[in-house]
């Protein structure tokens, strides 16, 4: 039976469309990689103190990666996440119809284009779908590119980012129910998925009108998934948005709560990074961010961080 998404094509296209990395000598690149591993280890102690969460023995791999390796890891993760969707469509004989109408290689290329774009944006990530124990990914070329753009102290910036990403690792390993809750919500999205090919085409047609408004600067910036969702899926997406806002807001709180002697230039980093986040890049970059829902992601950081600060101010960290 034809595949709905050819994942090898997705990874290949993603790697081909990934932007060129910033220039660096081999010695400089090696120093960056070594320092990022060191920063991740340092960050763990600060996160434990700031969150008071007890992380079990760390089984997640810490990987300093380039953009192609990030694409491969996330293509693998997406394959795992979408496997139940494909199986549901297969059981209802919808995969063959959709594959004939769209083509698995075409769909793979579209997924790859998204991965290629995102590979130049993500600084770090705790990914727990591709590997059972999870993996902490630090994307070295993106960190270098941003620290150069912002003209900030590289060592301070790298530790600052590691604080955020290590917090995610601690969240999903120290809080036993958190990972399964995330998986259950994704599974609920699968269960609520429309499987009739004709209905899917109709929903896609409806979404095109919303996309046109998004291109003109309208819409809510929630992205393609929200545009294509059924009413039931929108409810689940709202729950996931609230959940991720809390997770991201908590990590944002932690990275900015560390003692200023730990990251002496933190105030400048926070200010310049906030300006960069608001500007969002060139017009094409902003459009892609809207279509991918990355503006909603930015709001998660802002809203979630404000929520966590308010809770800590009212009832304390414990």
């Amino acid at each position: 039976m034809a595949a709905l998404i050819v994942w090898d094509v997705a990874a290949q296209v993603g790697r081909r469309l990934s932007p060129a990395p910033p220039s660096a000598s081999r010695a400089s690149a090696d120093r960056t990689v070594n320092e990022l591993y060191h920063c991740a280890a340092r960050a763990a102690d600060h996160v434990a103190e700031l969150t008071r969460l007890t992380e079990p023995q760390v089984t997640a791999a810490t990987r300093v990666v380039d953009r192609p390796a990030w694409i491969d890891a996330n293509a693998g993760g997406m394959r795992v996440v979408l496997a139940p969707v494909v199986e549901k469509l297969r059981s209802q004989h919808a995969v063959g119809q959709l594959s004939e109408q769209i083509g698995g290689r075409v769909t793979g290329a579209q997924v790859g284009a998204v991965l290629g774009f995102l590979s130049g944006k993500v600084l770090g990530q705790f990914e727990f779908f591709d590997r059972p124990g999870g993996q902490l990914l630090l994307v070295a070329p993106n960190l270098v590119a941003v620290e150069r753009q912002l003209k900030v102290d590289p060592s301070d910036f790298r530790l600052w980012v590691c604080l955020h990403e290590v917090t995610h690792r601690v969240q999903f390993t120290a809080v036993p129910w958190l990972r399964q809750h995330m998986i259950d919500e994704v599974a609920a999205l699968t269960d609520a998925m429309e499987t009739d090919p004709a209905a899917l085409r109709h929903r896609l047609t409806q979404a095109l009108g919303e996309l046109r408004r998004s291109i003109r600067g309208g819409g809510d910036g929630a992205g393609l998934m929200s545009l294509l969702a059924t009413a039931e899926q929108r409810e689940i997406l709202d729950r996931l948005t609230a959940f991720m806002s809390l997770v991201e807001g908590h990590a944002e709180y932690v990275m900015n709560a560390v003692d200023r002697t730990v990251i002496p230039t933190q105030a400048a980093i926070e200010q310049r990074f906030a300006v960069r986040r608001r500007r969002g890049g060139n017009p094409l970059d902003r459009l892609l961010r809207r279509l991918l829902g990355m503006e909603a992601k930015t709001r998660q950081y802002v809203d979630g961080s404000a929520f966590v600060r308010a809770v800590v101010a009212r009832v304390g960290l414990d």
Side-chain angles (χ1 to χ4, degrees):
M1 183 178 289
L4 184 62
I5 301 173
V6 179
W7 289 103
D8 288 345
V9 170
Q12 290 167 9
V13 170
R15 291 192 294 267
R16 190 162 63 246
L17 296 180
S18 180
S23 60
S25 67
R26 182 68 195 185
S28 175
D30 288 343
R31 285 195 298 271
T32 297
V33 169
N34 290 335
E35 184 172 29
L36 284 169
Y37 280 117
H38 178 66
C39 286
R42 282 185 64 198
D45 293 333
H46 294 296
V47 171
E49 179 183 354
L50 290 166
T51 63
R52 299 180 197 168
L53 293 172
T54 302
E55 185 178 20
Q57 182 178 357
V58 177
T59 58
T62 297
R63 298 177 58 206
V64 178
V65 297
D66 59 10
R67 289 163 178 168
W70 181 88
I71 289 169
D72 289 343
N74 278 271
M78 290 177 70
R79 185 173 192 162
V80 172
V81 171
L82 293 177
V85 176
V86 173
E87 183 56 37
K88 182 175 182 178
L89 291 169
R90 191 187 308 278
S91 68
Q92 300 188 21
H93 308 291
V95 167
Q97 298 176 56
L98 286 171
S99 297
E100 290 174 4
Q101 295 164 6
I102 302 173
R105 297 183 69 84
V106 172
T107 310
Q110 292 169 338
V111 172
V114 172
L115 288 172
F117 172 76
L118 293 177
S119 71
K121 306 296 178 186
V122 176
L123 301 180
Q125 172 190 11
F126 181 61
E127 195 282 324
F128 55 74
F129 289 110
D130 190 38
R131 298 187 180 189
Q135 52 186 334
L136 179 66
L137 303 175
L138 299 169
V139 191
N142 294 348
L143 283 154
V144 170
V146 172
E147 68 196 26
R148 289 179 182 177
Q149 178 190 23
L150 299 182
K151 296 181 174 60
V152 294
D153 181 271
S155 296
D156 283 1
F157 182 71
R158 294 166 190 177
L159 179 57
W160 187 69
V161 171
C162 284
L163 285 166
H164 185 103
E165 303 308 333
V166 170
T167 298
H168 284 321
R169 187 190 72 197
V170 172
Q171 290 166 339
F172 283 97
T173 56
V175 182
W177 58 268
L178 205 62
R179 180 177 184 271
Q180 190 59 48
H181 177 74
M182 177 77 169
I183 293 172
D184 289 345
E185 289 288 44
V186 173
L189 271 178
T190 301
D191 292 340
M193 180 179 177
E194 182 70 71
T195 58
D196 177 58
L200 284 172
R201 288 197 303 273
H202 175 67
R203 194 165 298 283
L204 181 61
T205 300
Q206 288 182 316
L208 289 176
E210 292 293 327
L211 283 177
R212 283 193 288 271
R213 282 191 284 275
S214 180
I215 289 170
R216 293 195 297 267
D220 59 5
L224 285 170
M225 182 63 184
S226 179
L227 294 175
L228 293 171
T230 64
E232 183 179 359
Q233 286 176 313
R234 283 180 179 270
E235 289 185 12
I236 300 169
L237 285 171
D238 284 345
R239 295 202 304 266
L240 271 170
T241 298
F243 171 77
M244 292 308 299
S245 294
L246 175 59
V247 169
E248 293 292 359
H250 180 243
E252 188 95 343
Y253 170 83
V254 170
M255 73 190 297
N256 293 327
V258 69
D259 190 283
R260 295 302 164 120
T261 60
V262 175
I263 304 178
T265 62
Q266 183 168 335
I269 292 173
E270 289 179 28
Q271 189 271 329
R272 294 176 193 179
F273 197 81
V275 171
R276 176 182 179 272
R277 184 182 282 169
R278 286 195 299 270
R279 287 177 177 169
N282 61 47
L284 176 60
D285 186 74
R286 288 196 296 272
L287 170 60
L288 289 170
R289 285 173 173 271
R290 290 185 68 81
L291 296 183
L292 295 173
M294 295 177 73
E295 289 194 356
K297 176 80 168 178
T298 298
R299 291 200 298 273
Q300 287 177 9
Y301 290 121
V302 176
D303 295 344
S305 182
F307 174 81
V308 172
R309 286 197 307 272
V311 171
V312 171
R314 180 171 295 185
V315 300
L317 186 61
D318 289 337

